[in-house]
Amino acid sequence: MKKKILSLMLTAAMLAGVLTGCGSSNQGSTTTSAGGGTDTQTAAEEAAGDAKDGIQVGIVLPTKDEPRWLQDQAQFEKILGDAGFTNQVLFSQGSSATEKTNVETLISQGISVLIICAQDGSAAAAAVEEAKTAGVTVIAYDRLITGTDAVDYYVTFDSVAVGEAQGQYLIDNVPEGSGIPLYLYAGAATDNNAFLFFEGAWKVLQPKVADGTFVIANSSEATALQDKAELTRDEQAKIIGQVTTDWDFNVAKSKAEAHLTAAGADLKGDVLVLAPNDGTARSIADVFATDKDITSYSITGQDSEKASVQYVIDGKQSMTVFKDTRTLAADSVKMAVSVLKGETPVTDTTYNNEAKDVPAKQTDIIVVTKDNVKAALIDSGYYEASEFTGLE
């Protein structure tokens, strides 16, 4: 863990270099840093002269209604603005049709690079194909766009590793005994990342289900497949279809309520809960906390949203996977800079999107619990200590 935290702090220091640059063309701000940032600044100055009448980089994000994406918006606008790039962030608000319109709007404004986090990885194919036809370089951000060769690059966290970390946390914190109830929840069935998260979690949890340590409490599809170590995409889809939250707080709450109402005493007591992200984790945790037959619960999350960090501090949520959006946004900007300079962006792996192997850049993750909140999120400068209560 100390090595991971050190890595995070070094990443933050590197980001300071990226933030260095001339005044923002759409914010009018200027920042300076001892870290340098000459390459990014020079590229920005060279590219800025070619796009005075348009937007150089367009960003499309899924929704304004989740804190995670507002944090991403702020990072993009700061990094791109401070580096001197004209840019615009648009939100799809849960609609693939709106997403497509947003992409078309940005194309009409003359963008050279599109950074897009798809609402629906498959449906977004048509939008990025329009961008590609218009000569725009497409960078899939955080969520892979599938079924098209119009995706040039992919910037992501290691989504399988996120699921593995969530599953391993539950294994490391399992109550004594066997037959411990395990409640499974997943993201949206339209999101490729939801499958990757679940794949990682299943990889580490399945052996404990197969040997009787855990018993699946809320998915007949998962129970039917509990002896299978590796699931096909279709098999994953059957499970996710039963336990999907659609990344929606209310859906997660309703499903948790229904599951606990249906569960007998043998599926309560000390339990484990695989929740896919922080928003759903809070909703599910609130439901489990009010059930008088739940003695204790350990519940996962991801994104390190402020509200969930407070839940972790207060003991209402067990962990959250920290995915530093500063680093992810910075990696995307570095890719955009390389494209605008006519260079090939740096990548370190590939992801198959059913049409091609997309060159990708991965960012590390960190498991955050009550024990390392300060080191991982406060000391790194991601949040201020004053934003929380009860922080030690």
Side-chain angles (χ1 to χ4, degrees):
M1 179 62 70
K2 289 182 178 179
K3 291 183 178 179
K4 289 183 177 178
I5 294 170
L6 178 58
S7 174
L8 173 66
M9 296 178 71
L10 290 172
T11 299
M14 291 173 63
L15 177 64
V18 175
L19 295 179
T20 304
C22 56
S24 166
S25 56
N26 64 351
Q27 292 183 354
S29 61
T30 302
T31 60
T32 58
S33 168
T38 303
D39 290 344
T40 303
Q41 181 178 353
T42 301
E45 291 170 345
E46 292 173 352
D50 297 328
K52 293 179 179 178
D53 299 323
I55 303 296
Q56 292 163 283
V57 182
I59 302 100
V60 179
L61 299 176
T63 178
K64 289 182 177 179
D65 298 332
E66 293 181 28
R68 155 71 199 279
W69 304 115
L70 294 177
Q71 290 173 339
D72 284 52
Q73 176 191 19
Q75 296 300 334
F76 274 119
E77 290 179 342
K78 179 171 180 57
I79 295 171
L80 285 165
D82 287 350
F85 288 95
T86 52
N87 64 90
Q88 185 172 7
V89 178
L90 299 177
F91 291 90
S92 303
Q93 290 305 103
S95 167
S96 293
T98 300
E99 180 177 78
K100 189 169 184 291
T101 299
N102 286 341
V103 171
E104 291 169 345
T105 298
L106 292 168
I107 292 171
S108 71
Q109 293 177 343
I111 61 169
S112 296
V113 179
L114 171 67
I115 300 172
I116 176 172
C117 181
Q119 171 63 31
D120 179 322
S122 177
V128 298
E129 284 167 3
E130 283 194 39
K132 192 67 177 174
T133 299
V136 175
T137 297
V138 176
I139 300 173
Y141 180 76
D142 199 31
R143 295 176 180 172
L144 187 60
I145 298 170
T146 58
T148 178
D149 62 2
V151 181
D152 294 291
Y153 301 100
Y154 181 34
V155 178
T156 184
F157 296 101
D158 187 339
S159 297
V160 172
V162 170
E164 290 174 339
Q166 292 175 328
Q168 191 60 51
Y169 179 87
L170 295 179
I171 289 172
D172 292 343
N173 291 274
V174 63
E176 291 185 5
S178 60
I180 307 300
L182 171 64
Y183 289 80
L184 302 174
Y185 295 95
T190 57
D191 181 357
N192 186 65
N193 275 2
F195 285 81
L196 297 176
F197 298 144
F198 192 82
E199 175 188 338
W202 184 265
K203 183 186 300 185
V204 297
L205 290 173
Q206 185 273 337
K208 292 296 183 180
V209 175
D211 71 11
T213 303
F214 302 155
V215 58
I216 296 170
N218 65 329
S219 171
S220 59
E221 294 288 355
T223 299
L225 293 164
Q226 66 182 22
D227 293 325
K228 191 169 182 181
E230 293 186 14
L231 302 178
T232 66
R233 179 83 174 196
D234 287 342
E235 289 169 338
Q236 287 184 55
K238 288 179 181 179
I239 299 173
I240 291 173
Q242 272 194 328
V243 300
T244 180
T245 63
D246 288 326
W247 299 126
D248 185 285
F249 305 171
N250 293 321
V251 172
K253 179 176 183 291
S254 295
K255 287 207 169 176
E257 289 172 341
H259 292 157
L260 288 183
T261 298
D266 59 326
L267 294 178
K268 295 192 177 181
D270 297 318
V271 304
L272 304 174
V273 184
L274 177 73
N277 74 338
D278 282 348
T280 59
R282 294 194 302 276
S283 293
I284 295 168
D286 288 345
V287 173
F288 276 71
T290 57
D291 190 306
K292 61 183 178 59
D293 295 320
I294 298 294
T295 307
S296 70
Y297 64 87
S298 290
I299 186 167
T300 63
Q302 70 168 304
D303 294 334
S304 296
E305 293 179 0
K306 285 182 185 178
S308 275
V309 174
Q310 188 63 62
Y311 262 47
V312 169
I313 294 169
D314 295 340
K316 296 179 181 180
Q317 183 175 324
S318 309
M319 61 87 84
T320 179
V321 177
F322 178 40
K323 305 188 304 185
D324 195 336
T325 57
R326 295 171 301 184
T327 305
L328 200 66
D331 285 344
S332 299
V333 171
K334 288 176 183 177
M335 276 194 174
V337 169
S338 295
V339 170
L340 291 169
K341 291 175 68 176
E343 298 174 351
T344 301
V346 175
T347 58
D348 52 25
T349 188
T350 62
Y351 278 73
N352 187 277
N353 77 339
E354 301 169 10
K356 65 183 286 188
D357 289 327
V358 182
K361 178 71 172 66
Q362 287 190 155
T363 298
D364 291 336
I365 59 167
I366 293 177
V367 171
V368 176
T369 66
K370 189 173 184 177
D371 292 336
N372 70 330
V373 165
K374 186 175 182 299
L377 300 176
I378 308 303
D379 295 347
S380 72
Y382 195 77
Y383 288 129
E384 297 289 338
S386 61
E387 297 177 272
F388 306 100
T389 59
L391 185 66
E392 296 179 359

